[in-house]
Amino acid sequence: MSLFRSTTTVRSQFRLLEYVDGALTRVLGPGRHRPRRRAEYELVLVADRIETVAPQEVPTSDGVSVRVSAAVRWGVDDPRAFEEATVDASAVVYLAVQVALRDALVGTPAEDAVHLARTGLAEQLTEAARAAGAEVGIGVRSVVIKDVLLPGELRAAYADLVAARTRGLAQLEAARAETAALRSLANGAKLLDEHPALARLRLVQALPPGSTVELG
């Protein structure tokens, strides 16, 4: 880009690369600058941005394909490398995340792959993305897992399994409550057997108001 104005202003989220005869001469930061003759300028956005990695189909050891998508937050740390190292620097990071995702999950059973993706995978992906980004001037701030999807039939099977577990827990709690109630009744009956006076008192308490009791 050639600038013909007497001055140009660079905002905080940009850097301006100055080239003279095709060679980089300066990286201009925020502020007002006076263009040089014969110089060409390239404006580079350095502010952080978020890029979504499309869902990746990862085969597991039990023959199931898990679909995992991620999001990468990154910014430009080295404007010159970002502009000169490759035609599309962000694609380098994008590819690194895809490869790291596949390497981390391939050969793992589907259930373990889902657990790993939701708990411990983001850190591995961030490390891989940072290593790749450093080569092209990109600083990767973080990588997060957005979605982990199983095939529809497996999702239905897991839903049935969760429902069955829930029903089983409910039945177990009901059985425990019934056992506790029976134990309480048994203890009460034993207490009444051992204390006849208490049994008569309990009988009197159970009679309707106005009833009379003949004690033998």
Side-chain angles (χ1 to χ4, degrees), residues 36-154:
R36 296 176 177 176
R37 291 185 177 181
R38 297 175 41 240
E40 294 182 344
Y41 295 88
E42 194 69 35
L43 194 63
V44 179
L45 175 65
V46 299
D48 285 4
R49 66 209 78 177
I50 296 176
E51 184 168 355
T52 298
V53 179
Q56 176 87 349
E57 292 275 358
V58 182
T60 61
S61 61
D62 41 11
V64 177
S65 291
V66 180
R67 288 171 59 87
V68 185
S69 64
V72 184
R73 180 182 176 184
W74 62 273
V76 176
D77 287 349
D78 184 345
R80 178 178 185 175
F82 180 78
E83 199 62 29
E84 297 180 357
T86 183
V87 174
D88 189 351
S90 64
V92 174
V93 174
Y94 190 101
L95 178 61
V97 173
Q98 286 185 313
V99 172
L101 189 59
R102 180 173 292 272
D103 290 345
L105 298 182
V106 69
T108 305
E111 188 171 358
D112 294 342
V114 171
H115 177 73
L116 175 61
R118 293 192 180 280
T119 57
L121 188 56
E123 185 175 348
Q124 298 181 41
L125 299 184
T126 300
E127 291 178 0
R130 282 175 177 165
E135 300 178 0
V136 293
I138 288 178
V140 175
R141 318 306 180 208
S142 63
V143 180
V144 297
I145 300 298
K146 290 185 62 180
D147 298 301
V148 183
L149 299 176
L150 290 170
E153 60 272 16
L154 272 185

Side-chain angles (χ1 to χ4, degrees), residues 161-212:
L161 177 60
V162 171
R165 287 175 178 172
T166 302
R167 288 193 297 269
L169 289 175
Q171 292 170 356
L172 179 60
E173 286 300 318
R176 287 174 177 171
E178 184 176 355
T179 300
L182 291 174
R183 186 181 295 114
S184 178
L185 289 174
N187 291 337
K190 180 180 179 182
L191 184 63
L192 293 176
D193 287 341
E194 295 175 351
H195 301 278
L198 182 61
R200 288 194 295 271
L201 177 61
R202 183 70 184 87
L203 176 61
V204 170
Q205 291 175 339
L207 291 174
S211 300
T212 59

